[in-house]
Amino acid sequence: MKKIICIFLCIILIFSFLGCKKTPTKIKSEITEYTMTKGVNLSALEDRTKPHKFLDKDQTYAEIFEKGFDHVRIPVDFRLYCDENGITKAFYQRLDNIIRMANDNGLLVMLDFHGWYDFNVSSGDDVLFTKIWKDLAEHYKDYPKDRLFFELINEPHTTEGGDLDERNLWNLQNSVIGEIRKIDSLRTIVVAMPEWNGPWTLENYKNYNYDNLIFALHTYAPLDFTHQGQAWAGKGDIKLSLTDEMLQELYQQLESITRFTVLTNNKVILNEFGLTTTGHISDEDVDRYLSYIASYTKKRNIPWTYWAYSGSFGVYDTGFLGIGAGWRQNVLDALMK
Ligand code: BGC
């Protein structure tokens, strides 16, 4: 009798667990058209020191989809995965698999060449940059256009007195777009705005309208608030609470994006924003800051990609060697409001 009661209780437990699971907004097998509304940056391959094993697990993408995201941005410093002939076969195998797993789980992929600005020191670097993009365009030319977008360059440091000033940035992006279009005329390309993808720079670009291009913007306003606790950014000791003035600064940057889309009809994406999520900032402030962006972008139909899945800005805690890994529910809840 005891045995029967036990089995009965187990069945009830299993069913109540299944019942509690959040149902995804869309069933992935029903997806025929991929869109970008809410996404997350899978930061890993732009830096050899970052944890990256999660990228090779199907479950990562299944969960990201299940939590309500529809795309992922994959930052890669391709120079790390090249030999004298270009991107290596082994790296392509890994990347193909990552893109396939993301797509199979209903997620569109934005492939971002991250870290380029660090090596923009001579014209020879432009040659390598163009060669890598031609290589990628060739490799993915038959890949479905609505599942994979190319993002040329991340956060160009156009005001630091290097070779890549604002004019050279556009010369370089135009020339690479031309090269990609010769190989694959229909691929959607994401372009970088000057000054670290600064939304304020959009004020100078109101007379342009482009097909099949998306303008990438980032905001971390105010930097002292979002980057507090980050020693690498020189803000390890800063401790600030969120104020209305800070939200006003953020609002101004978001408004620049809105004005640009209304005036030009160009497509945009806010494909980086975020803040320290490892406990340095109170849960209330994390919630207030992220909810503010989530509700603003929802009202204005601005797609976004949170920085980042893991790490000190992470919406997911990869734990120590995987132990204690899990979603940071407060961050996720604020984003999905
Ligand atoms: C950088 C990251 C940094 C993030 C927030 C990204 O573009 O590559 O290293 O954590 O911005 O500052």
Side-chain angles (χ1 to χ4, degrees), residues 320-335:
F320 179 67
L321 299 176
I323 301 161
W327 289 85
R328 290 196 170 103
Q329 201 56 44
N330 63 320
V331 181
L332 190 64
D333 288 347
L335 288 170

Side-chain angles (χ1 to χ4, degrees), residues 120-135:
N120 183 54
V121 288
S122 70
S123 56
D125 292 335
D126 291 2
V127 174
L128 177 59
F129 184 70
T130 310
K131 180 173 153 36
I132 289 175
W133 272 118
K134 283 166 72 174
D135 198 333

Side-chain angles (χ1 to χ4, degrees), residues 207-270:
N207 300 319
Y208 300 86
N209 182 264
Y210 295 98
D211 267 352
N212 227 3
L213 287 189
I214 300 177
F215 291 79
L217 288 319
H218 296 177
T219 185
Y220 288 101
L223 215 63
D224 276 351
F225 171 75
T226 57
H227 281 59
Q228 59 181 301
Q230 305 284 344
W232 62 269
K235 301 187 190 299
D237 298 330
I238 297 181
K239 187 85 187 145
L240 287 173
S241 296
L242 187 61
T243 63
D244 290 346
E245 288 71 34
M246 292 179 188
L247 286 177
Q248 186 58 24
E249 189 182 329
L250 172 65
Y251 173 75
Q252 293 306 338
Q253 295 203 4
L254 297 172
E255 281 288 277
S256 299
I257 304 177
T258 299
R259 276 198 295 279
F260 177 75
T261 53
V262 169
L263 279 170
T264 66
N265 238 352
N266 281 309
K267 289 205 174 71
V268 293
I269 183 154
L270 180 66

Side-chain angles (χ1 to χ4, degrees), residues 46 50 114 117 154-155 218 220 227 232 272 307 313:
E46 78 280 20
K50 289 193 172 173
H114 212 88
Y117 46 82
N154 175 67
E155 298 196 341
H218 296 177
Y220 288 101
H227 281 59
W232 62 269
E272 276 197 32
W307 184 278
F313 282 55

